[in-house]
Amino acid sequence: MTTTYWTTAEGPLGPLLLTAAPTGELTSLSVPGQKGGRVVQGDWRQDAGPFREAEEQLAAYFAGELQEFRLPWRTEGTAFREKVWAALDDIPYGSTVTYGEIAARIGAPRAAVRAVGGAIGANPLLVVRPCHRVIGADGTLTGYAGGLDRKVRLLTHEGVL
């Protein structure tokens, strides 16, 4: 069994819960009340050490000084989810794409849009992997595991709204 390290970082979205692998890669970033978000477990080890760079980059992002995160991370999901999550990395700061566009980018059929939405909803790295930049085909701000109010705040911060 591997040790999970954790810390919290204050930010405009509330206290962020960050977890990391023993090798230092970020494994999750959750917000309070997040659908499917992580919660601290009794066998996790609290240690801010592995998170210094993540905290610095998050602070710079929220200060408007950083547009692209450059952090080592490791996620674990199905091959399909990993492909969807990797597609999130290509959405530029200050822009949005639709679930259908993500499906097309990964070579999935149009009928896979719901599955794409499910994979995006399971993204373990909120903010860092910008799932908040994915919107409905009609331009509506559909779904966000961290809550639509936070999605609005992030898109407003990036100048989209």
Side-chain angles (χ1 to χ4, degrees):
M1 191 162 138
T2 62
T3 302
T4 298
Y5 293 89
W6 71 277
T7 196
T8 56
E10 288 302 319
L13 303 179
L16 307 175
L17 172 64
L18 293 87
T19 63
T23 50
E25 295 105 337
L26 192 64
T27 56
S28 74
L29 187 155
S30 302
V31 295
Q34 176 183 329
K35 178 183 171 190
R38 299 191 79 179
V39 293
V40 176
Q41 303 296 308
D43 61 341
W44 289 6
R45 183 173 167 197
Q46 186 174 14
D47 182 353
F51 303 99
R52 284 189 179 86
E53 184 64 26
E55 289 183 89
E56 287 175 12
Q57 288 190 33
L58 284 163
Y61 169 79
F62 287 120
E65 301 164 357
L66 179 81
Q67 295 185 355
E68 185 178 331
F69 291 93
R70 298 188 187 280
L71 295 168
W73 61 62
R74 180 172 63 191
T75 54
E76 293 180 9
T78 65
F80 180 79
R81 283 186 173 182
E82 291 288 345
K83 194 182 286 191
V84 170
W85 296 339
L88 297 175
D89 298 336
D90 295 330
I91 306 170
Y93 179 94
S95 65
T96 59
V97 300
T98 66
Y99 293 91
E101 289 172 307
I102 294 291
R105 287 180 185 189
I106 66 167
R110 182 89 178 121
V113 169
R114 289 183 73 90
V116 166
I120 291 170
N123 171 25
L125 292 169
L126 292 191
V127 183
V128 174
R129 276 204 148 147
C131 54
H132 59 277
R133 297 178 188 155
V134 183
I135 62 172
D138 62 358
T140 57
L141 302 181
T142 59
Y144 186 62
L148 284 179
D149 60 323
R150 288 188 179 107
K151 185 171 191 163
V152 167
R153 282 160 69 195
L154 289 165
L155 292 175
T156 300
H157 170 72
E158 293 186 11
V160 174
L161 299 179

